Amino acid sequence: MRVSAAVLDRGAVRVEELLLPERAPGEIDVHIEAAAVCGSDLHTVLGRRPAPERTVLGHEGAGTVAAADPGTRDLRGTPLRPGDRVVFARFGACGTCDRCTRGLEAACRSVLTYGHEGADRAPHATGTLADGVRLLPGVPVLRVPGWAGDAHVVSAGCAAATAAAVLSAGGAAEPGDPALVLGAGTVGAYCAAMLRSEGRTVYVHDPAPRRSAAVRRLGARTDVPDGLAFPLVVEASGSPEAFAAALGAAEAGGRVVAAGAVGPGTAEVRLDPADLAARHLTVAGVHGYAAADFLRGVDWLLGPGQFLDLEALVSPPVPLPPPGKDLDEAFGLMHAGEHLRVLVAPPAA
């Protein structure tokens, strides 16, 4: 089997043809119908986060099953057959190590992270900026209906699932409770939309006018009141200044969920442990998610999320170039910042 995939090699992103061995039992081959360039992809290409040699890029995608074993089922227990439309998580986990059994599949002792692995590591086709991807047996997969368009579900395995993990870390709330989201990238936008679906009053701060306008269309407010303290603050920008501001904006007994930082060692924040103790603050970090969060995120997309214009968060589709060509257009659009996600469409199967 041959797969055309975007590979980062010595600073250039070029489509390569990867020759795959015969599919192993339990693996699922998926034809990618739509993928998205994520902010972390851009950070990887710009050298802001570590990457192995010849990284196969992309971890957001939707497609159709091309090949699977008889009796294969998705995360809900629904049978999967060739031609079924699916979304999938961005990790393959063993399911048996101490971290997996504690619900930390994304931190599995032997995790494979789609979009962040080298082309030489099996199963080789591990990026969604491609015309095909090979899923290991430990990758959560969900069948999705045809009415949910590509742009609506393409971020299911990253932004939507991560936002669901943020909500899990944020705890329960009474309807009307205010929440503050710092940063209106795709994760921040999904956090705001999901928190609104819980009945919260959601405020979002982002200095970029385009992003602020996008979250207002999702029901969030951007007129953050001065001096208001919040029971829940989500830091979704990755800015150290925003993390410090999140701690300052939390009310006594509140929760701060840090979900924006993706590049280790790039920033430092000074804080006073006595302040955390005196105000009884809970600080939680979210990087990745569990299978339960992936399921929660997809359920939201197919439930309350279906009534929101989530398609406006992504660009018009950019074609995946043929082997030997660069992905300059897609990454150029992402770098320009006019879209929260850049949609990439491979050729039809």
Side-chain angles (χ1 to χ4, degrees):
M1 177 179 174
R2 296 177 185 273
V3 168
S4 295
V7 176
L8 172 63
D9 187 15
R10 289 169 289 187
V13 182
R14 186 168 293 116
V15 177
E16 294 187 15
E17 191 172 70
L18 305 178
L19 179 61
L20 305 187
E22 184 176 350
R23 184 179 58 83
E27 294 179 343
I28 302 173
D29 284 336
V30 175
H31 171 71
I32 296 295
E33 295 179 338
V37 180
C38 169
S40 64
D41 295 320
L42 184 61
H43 286 303
T44 298
V45 170
L46 295 176
R48 296 172 182 168
R49 59 183 296 165
E53 290 186 7
R54 299 184 63 236
T55 300
V56 188
L57 292 170
H59 54 268
E60 292 193 346
T64 54
V65 175
D69 296 342
T72 299
R73 295 179 179 272
D74 76 353
L75 195 56
R76 304 183 198 277
T78 304
L80 286 180
R81 303 179 181 89
D84 284 344
R85 192 153 175 268
V86 293
V87 292
F88 44 89
R90 62 178 183 141
F91 62 83
C94 72
T96 58
C97 71
D98 58 325
R99 293 178 178 176
C100 285
T101 55
R102 300 202 319 268
L104 296 172
E105 297 101 317
C108 169
R109 298 285 181 183
S110 56
V111 70
L112 184 143
T113 307
Y114 281 76
H116 298 286
E117 303 292 347
D120 294 333
R121 181 178 180 183
H124 311 294
T126 55
T128 59
L129 295 174
D131 61 8
V133 66
R134 176 162 286 177
L135 305 181
L136 294 173
V139 177
V141 182
L142 283 168
R143 186 177 175 182
V144 291
W147 62 257
D150 290 336
H152 188 82
V153 298
V154 71
S155 294
C158 180
T162 301
V166 168
L167 265 66
S168 296
E174 295 295 327
D177 274 359
L180 174 63
V181 178
L182 299 176
T186 312
V187 170
Y190 272 96
C191 285
M194 289 186 183
L195 289 166
R196 282 283 297 127
S197 298
E198 287 192 335
R200 296 186 189 242
T201 301
V202 181
Y203 296 90
V204 179
H205 174 72
D206 192 295
R210 286 179 182 270
R211 293 185 172 195
S212 295
V215 293
R216 283 196 296 271
R217 289 193 295 269
L218 298 177
R221 299 179 60 172
T222 54
D223 56 334
V224 183
D226 291 335
L228 179 62
F230 296 86
L232 173 63
V233 184
V234 177
E235 195 294 291
S237 73
S239 160
E241 293 81 12
F243 180 76
L247 294 175
E251 71 176 16
R255 289 176 176 261
V256 174
V257 181
V262 296
T266 59
E268 294 182 356
V269 177
R270 295 184 63 184
L271 58 86
D272 182 356
D275 178 55
L276 299 184
R279 291 195 289 138
H280 301 273
L281 297 184
T282 298
V283 180
V286 170
H287 185 75
Y289 54 86
D293 301 312
F294 175 59
L295 178 60
R296 181 178 182 178
V298 174
D299 282 346
W300 181 85
L301 287 171
L302 302 179
Q306 69 177 293
F307 304 108
L308 298 174
D309 185 15
L310 299 174
E311 292 81 356
L313 301 180
V314 303
S315 74
V318 173
L320 180 75
K325 299 294 185 180
D326 293 346
L327 260 72
D328 291 346
E329 181 180 3
F331 278 90
L333 282 172
M334 193 67 191
H335 195 266
E338 293 188 10
H339 306 280
L340 299 187
R341 288 287 193 267
V342 174
L343 196 67
V344 176

